[in-house]
Amino acid sequence: MDIQPIKNEGDYRRTLKVIEGLMDARLNTIEGDRLDVLVTLVEAYERNHYPIDFPDPVEAIKFRMEQQGLTVDDLVPVIGRKNRVYEILARKRPLTLRMIEGLHERFAIPAESLLKRPSGAAAAR
């Protein structure tokens, strides 16, 4: 099995082309094993060179609202009065620790996203 480490973008692109040609490889074959190893190398390269960052808190909340068909009223028990929910969504007020805990527990929004420093108006404070 001729496999080389991925050291740069050229290696990365070449490896992706090889993987594309091996996509129909069966498990427990030489081609299947080669595909498995190459995918692992690509994943490691991408993790180091193209990290995926968590969305900011407001975007995470809006995404979950859209995903689950939630309304502002659904957030009131966790965040507080409607006007406070609108302030959070407009980035005029930061989330409190209690809000973060509630959003994470009730709506399964990743805590990492909710703890991230928000972009926009509230971040500038």
Side-chain angles (χ1 to χ4, degrees):
M1 198 181 313
D2 181 32
I3 295 179
Q4 303 291 322
I6 301 173
K7 297 179 181 177
N8 55 47
E9 282 295 309
D11 292 343
Y12 173 69
R13 279 187 248 111
R14 278 189 292 282
T15 304
L16 288 176
K17 285 185 182 185
V18 172
I19 287 173
E20 187 178 325
L22 293 170
M23 289 305 289
D24 292 329
R26 293 179 180 247
L27 289 173
N28 301 319
T29 65
I30 292 172
E31 293 83 14
D33 290 347
R34 185 167 191 222
L35 175 62
D36 189 37
V37 171
L38 292 175
V39 167
T40 302
L41 288 173
V42 165
E43 287 173 346
Y45 184 85
E46 288 175 344
R47 198 171 25 259
N48 290 328
H49 292 85
Y50 303 108
I52 297 175
D53 202 9
F54 287 101
D56 81 346
V58 172
E59 291 306 314
I61 294 167
K62 288 179 178 179
F63 177 74
R64 183 65 72 201
M65 289 176 74
E66 182 180 321
Q67 224 181 17
Q68 295 182 351
L70 302 173
T71 65
V72 168
D73 290 328
D74 296 317
L75 299 179
V76 167
V78 175
I79 293 178
R81 298 181 313 260
K82 263 187 175 181
N83 66 327
R84 178 150 300 148
V85 174
Y86 284 117
E87 288 173 341
I88 296 290
L89 295 177
R91 303 174 194 278
K92 293 181 180 178
R93 178 184 290 271
L95 291 169
T96 66
L97 185 54
R98 177 169 270 172
M99 291 175 196
I100 290 169
E101 289 171 343
L103 289 165
H104 174 68
E105 289 173 10
R106 185 153 183 186
F107 301 111
I109 300 173
E112 294 87 349
S113 292
L114 296 169
L115 290 167
K116 185 178 176 187
R117 184 173 294 272
S119 57
R125 293 183 191 166

